[in-house]
C-alpha cells in the first residue's frame, strides 16, 4: 500500500513530460493498473493534452475498461483535429497497408 501511495504522490508532482515517460514505462511493462492511477490525475489536470489522453486510453484498455478507453482515445483524436495536427493521419496509411496487404494493391 505504501508503494501505491508513493506512486500516486509522485505522479501528482510530475511535470507533463515526466508523467508521459513514467506512463510509457508502466504501459510498456504491462503495469496497466498503475498507469491508470498515474495518468488519471494528469488527465484531470491537463484535459487538453492529447498525448496524456492517448496513453490513458491504452492504460484503460489494458485493464479492460474498453468503453472508457474508447472515449479517451476519441477525445485525443478530437483535440488533435481541433489543433490542426494531422501527423497521426500521415502515419495511418502505412500502418493500414501493413495490416492489410490488399490495401497496397490499390496504390
Amino acid at each position: 500500500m505504501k508503494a501505491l501511495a508513493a506512486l500516486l504522490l509522485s505522479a501528482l508532482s510530475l511535470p507533463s513530460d515526466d508523467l508521459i515517460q513514467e506512463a510509457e514505462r508502466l504501459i510498456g511493462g504491462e503495469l496497466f493498473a498503475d498507469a491508470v492511477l498515474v495518468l488519471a490525475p494528469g488527465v484531470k489536470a491537463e484535459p487538453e493534452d492529447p498525448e496524456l489522453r492517448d496513453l490513458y486510453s491504452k492504460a484503460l484498455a489494458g485493464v479492460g475498461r474498453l468503453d472508457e478507453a474508447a472515449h479517451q482515445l476519441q477525445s485525443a483524436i478530437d483535440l488533435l483535429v481541433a489543433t490542426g495536427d494531422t501527423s497521426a493521419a500521415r502515419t495511418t496509411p502505412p500502418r493500414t497497408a501493413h495490416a492489410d496487404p490488399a490495401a497496397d494493391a490499390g496504390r
Side-chain angles (χ1 to χ4, degrees):
M1 190 65 165
K2 286 184 181 181
L4 178 60
L7 183 66
L8 287 172
L9 285 175
S10 68
L12 292 173
S13 63
L14 288 175
S16 183
D17 289 343
D18 292 339
L19 178 60
I20 288 168
Q21 284 183 326
E22 178 64 9
E24 288 173 337
R25 183 188 70 77
L26 292 168
I27 291 168
E30 297 186 5
L31 300 170
F32 300 113
D34 290 345
V36 167
L37 292 173
V38 165
L39 286 163
V43 170
K44 188 172 183 173
E46 297 187 48
E48 301 297 311
D49 187 326
E51 190 171 7
L52 284 177
R53 286 188 177 270
D54 178 46
L55 288 168
Y56 193 36
S57 75
K58 291 175 186 175
L60 289 166
V63 295
R65 293 166 56 182
L66 302 181
D67 288 343
E68 292 172 84
H71 173 75
Q72 291 299 323
L73 183 58
Q74 186 61 56
S75 293
I77 292 167
D78 291 346
L79 287 167
L80 289 172
V81 169
T83 62
D85 185 343
T86 59
S87 60
R90 281 185 257 139
T91 62
T92 301
R95 284 189 285 159
T96 304
H98 180 70
D100 182 8
D104 277 335
R107 290 181 189 197

